[in-house]
């Protein structure tokens, strides 16, 4: 599909080629596509400024996929001043208000107000998109002798193109059909997990993003159209609060499910050229939600969980044994051998 520009010179839809040239490879505003020389730019914080303030993160450092530590305060992507203000009004003002509340109130508000739930989903998808866009400027290998390219060279930009359409819908006025939204879960965090009140993890392949804000965390699977909920029956066994190991297992599992769906949903942008230029993003769902092969799901889950846990724990004899079990797919932080949920209560 070609780039669509409306009568007010606003880019409603970027063709994949224009998306790659302007947003991924260029330095244009990631929302409106304006050239850096044509407008005032003030750049967008990847992790929202109110989150940095609330958890005192400005001077702290985020660890990137290549192991680089980056100051949160400088972790930004190109954005013009106008779009930056609109992002603030659209997302950060209402979401920061919502996430100030406690878990029970948030959950109630989300189940009563579908628009709020959609906004929260898009907010988390926006953070996911921003982190991946930033990767295009970061070296894969920090050792300059190796020419391994940028981290972003390894992303599937075709998939990111859909996510880009989703996160700029507030700007384009695109209507998002309900089936487009993926899995969204919200869990309280166990009381003893008081050391890291902020946490963020995402996976480029399975398109899972998790953010911890104080006493709860949210997890989304951006492009599974809730297929994961249909194939992971044990998900409903999770009751009460979770610890950070259990959350990592959920991320690893959702990632493995999403990359192993037998039939994937297909996303489409439809722009009716009937004078109004009505734009809808919708999804064609597979007739049946199925996984390719159970064994590959276990392998993919174990691989990622092993990675998360090995960077989190001290590598003593006991933990090395646990890591080996994880690698073999024989260890779970969520369920015992009888498949019962390991509660933190
Ligand atoms: Zn802009």
């Amino acid at each position: 599909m070609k780039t669509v520009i409306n009568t007010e010179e606003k880019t409603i839809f970027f063709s994949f080629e224009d998306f790659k040239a302007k947003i991924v490879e260029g330095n244009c505003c990631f929302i409106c596509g304006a050239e850096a020389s044509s407008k005032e730019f003030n750049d967008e914080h990847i992790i929202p400024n109110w989150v940095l303030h609330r958890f005192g993160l400005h001077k702290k450092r985020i660890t990137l996929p290549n192991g680089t530590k980056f100051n949160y305060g400088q972790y930004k992507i190109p954005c013009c001043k106008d779009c930056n203000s609109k992002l603030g009004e659209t997302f950060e003002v209402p979401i920061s208000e919502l996430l100030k509340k406690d878990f029970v109130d948030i959950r109630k508000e989300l189940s009563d107000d579908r628009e709020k739930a959609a906004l929260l989903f898009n907010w988390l998808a926006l953070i996911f998109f921003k982190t991946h866009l930033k990767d295009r400027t970061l070296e894969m290998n920090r050792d300059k002798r190796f020419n391994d390219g940028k981290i972003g060279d390894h992303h599937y930009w075709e998939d990111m193109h859909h996510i880009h359409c989703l996160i700029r819908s507030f700007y384009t006025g695109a209507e998002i059909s309900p089936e487009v939204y993926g899995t969204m879960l919200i869990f309280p965090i166990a009381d003893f997990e008081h050391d890291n009140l902020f946490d963020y993890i995402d996976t480029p392949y399975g398109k899972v993003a998790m953010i911890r804000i104080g006493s709860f965390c949210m997890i989304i699977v951006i492009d599974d159209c809730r297929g994961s909920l249909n194939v992971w029956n044990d998900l409903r066994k999770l009751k009460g609060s979770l610890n950070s190991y259990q959350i990592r297992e959920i991320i690893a599992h959702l990632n493995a499910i999403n990359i192993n769906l037998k039939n994937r949903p297909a996303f489409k942008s439809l722009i009716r050229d009937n004078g109004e230029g009505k734009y809808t993003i919708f999804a064609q769902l597979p007739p049946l939600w199925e996984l390719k092969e159970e064994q590959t799901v276990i392998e993919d889950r174990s691989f990622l969980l092993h990675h998360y846990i090995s960077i989190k724990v001290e590598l003593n004899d006991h933990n090395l044994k646990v890591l080996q079990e994880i690698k073999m797919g024989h260890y779970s932080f969520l369920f015992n051998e009888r498949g019962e949920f390991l509660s933190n209560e």
Side-chain angles (χ1 to χ4, degrees), residues 22-37 40-46 74-81 83-84 87 129-130 133-137 164:
K22 286 174 173 261
I23 311 297
V24 181
E25 283 151 17
N27 269 322
C28 297
C29 168
F30 82 109
I31 296 294
C32 69
E35 299 279 344
S37 53
E40 194 181 339
F41 271 50
N42 59 359
D43 296 348
E44 161 78 355
H45 279 287
I46 294 174
Q74 266 117 47
Y75 192 45
K76 292 177 172 184
I77 52 164
C79 184
C80 78
K81 209 175 162 189
C83 291
N84 205 329
L87 282 164
F129 183 81
K130 291 189 283 186
L133 191 62
K134 184 72 185 177
D135 286 348
R136 83 210 196 289
T137 63
H164 187 235

Side-chain angles (χ1 to χ4, degrees), residues 141-156:
N141 198 321
R142 285 179 295 157
D143 187 334
K144 292 273 187 286
R145 289 169 301 172
F146 298 94
N147 194 8
D148 293 345
K150 310 286 188 209
I151 303 174
D153 296 347
H154 301 264
H155 295 333
Y156 294 102

Side-chain angles (χ1 to χ4, degrees), residues 65-342:
N66 64 354
T68 311
K69 308 261 185 201
F70 211 106
N71 267 351
Y72 276 109
Q74 266 117 47
Y75 192 45
K76 292 177 172 184
I77 52 164
C79 184
C80 78
K81 209 175 162 189
D82 292 339
C83 291
N84 205 329
S85 315
K86 275 191 214 114
L87 282 164
E89 285 158 33
T90 311
F91 291 104
E92 307 310 339
V93 172
I95 297 296
S96 61
E97 276 303 310
L98 173 73
L99 300 185
K100 258 185 218 158
K101 299 177 183 174
D102 66 27
F103 175 74
V104 177
D105 293 338
I106 295 172
R107 196 169 52 181
K108 186 174 182 318
E109 195 162 333
L110 293 175
S111 69
D112 292 349
D113 185 346
R114 297 191 77 153
E115 265 178 43
K116 192 60 78 62
L119 187 73
L120 183 63
F121 184 92
N122 276 345
W123 174 75
L124 204 40
L126 173 67
I127 298 176
F128 176 94
F129 183 81
K130 291 189 283 186
T131 68
H132 289 85
L133 191 62
K134 184 72 185 177
D135 286 348
R136 83 210 196 289
T137 63
L138 303 167
E139 296 294 336
M140 192 69 194
N141 198 321
R142 285 179 295 157
D143 187 334
K144 292 273 187 286
R145 289 169 301 172
F146 298 94
N147 194 8
D148 293 345
K150 310 286 188 209
I151 303 174
D153 296 347
H154 301 264
H155 295 333
Y156 294 102
W157 290 106
E158 286 81 357
D159 294 354
M160 296 294 174
H161 184 220
H162 158 64
I163 301 171
H164 187 235
C165 294
L166 200 66
I167 56 123
R168 65 192 288 278
S169 60
F170 75 96
Y171 175 82
T172 60
E175 190 184 300
I176 302 170
S177 193
E179 78 282 356
V180 169
Y181 290 99
T183 299
M184 180 159 75
L185 306 167
I186 171 162
F187 297 107
I189 308 261
D191 288 340
F192 56 86
E193 291 275 349
H194 41 60
D195 47 345
N196 267 323
L197 294 174
F198 170 78
D199 200 0
Y200 177 79
I201 296 178
D202 62 26
T203 72
Y205 306 107
K207 314 279 187 305
V208 183
M210 183 286 295
I211 195 163
R212 174 177 177 184
I213 300 282
S215 60
F216 56 88
C217 79
M218 287 164 294
I219 304 174
I220 60 167
V221 188
I222 299 176
D223 62 353
D224 74 338
C225 293
R226 296 191 205 89
S228 305
L229 299 176
N230 285 279
V231 293
W232 191 12
N233 294 324
D234 283 348
L235 198 57
R236 64 194 61 150
K237 289 186 193 166
L238 309 180
K239 295 263 163 26
S241 60
L242 302 180
N243 64 49
S244 53
Y245 297 91
Q246 294 175 321
I247 289 159
R248 279 158 176 75
E249 186 169 325
I250 294 172
I251 298 168
H253 199 68
L254 290 171
N255 178 76
I257 289 176
N258 197 25
I259 59 181
N260 285 291
L261 286 173
K262 204 175 207 171
N263 302 298
R264 297 208 58 80
F267 298 99
K268 297 259 158 48
S269 279
L270 181 71
I271 300 171
R272 280 186 214 93
D273 196 12
N274 58 358
E276 297 165 42
K278 192 172 157 31
Y279 176 12
T280 316
I281 300 171
F282 66 98
Q284 284 167 333
L285 304 184
L288 198 64
W289 291 111
E290 283 176 292
L291 291 168
K292 283 180 202 156
E293 225 184 297
E294 189 68 30
Q295 189 51 33
T296 359
V297 178
I298 294 169
E299 282 166 16
D300 289 338
R301 179 188 62 205
S302 309
F303 177 82
L304 192 57
L305 186 60
H306 181 271
H307 165 72
Y308 288 150
I309 306 304
S310 63
I311 54 175
K312 193 172 160 58
V313 298
E314 191 192 322
L315 298 177
N316 57 30
D317 286 352
H318 169 75
N319 289 343
L320 284 170
K321 236 174 104 184
V322 172
L323 281 166
Q324 189 55 30
E325 294 272 297
I326 292 174
K327 206 180 219 169
M328 308 292 288
H330 299 156
Y331 196 94
S332 173
F333 296 100
L334 289 168
F335 307 107
N336 64 18
E337 303 89 68
R338 292 184 299 277
E340 294 157 346
F341 174 56
L342 294 163

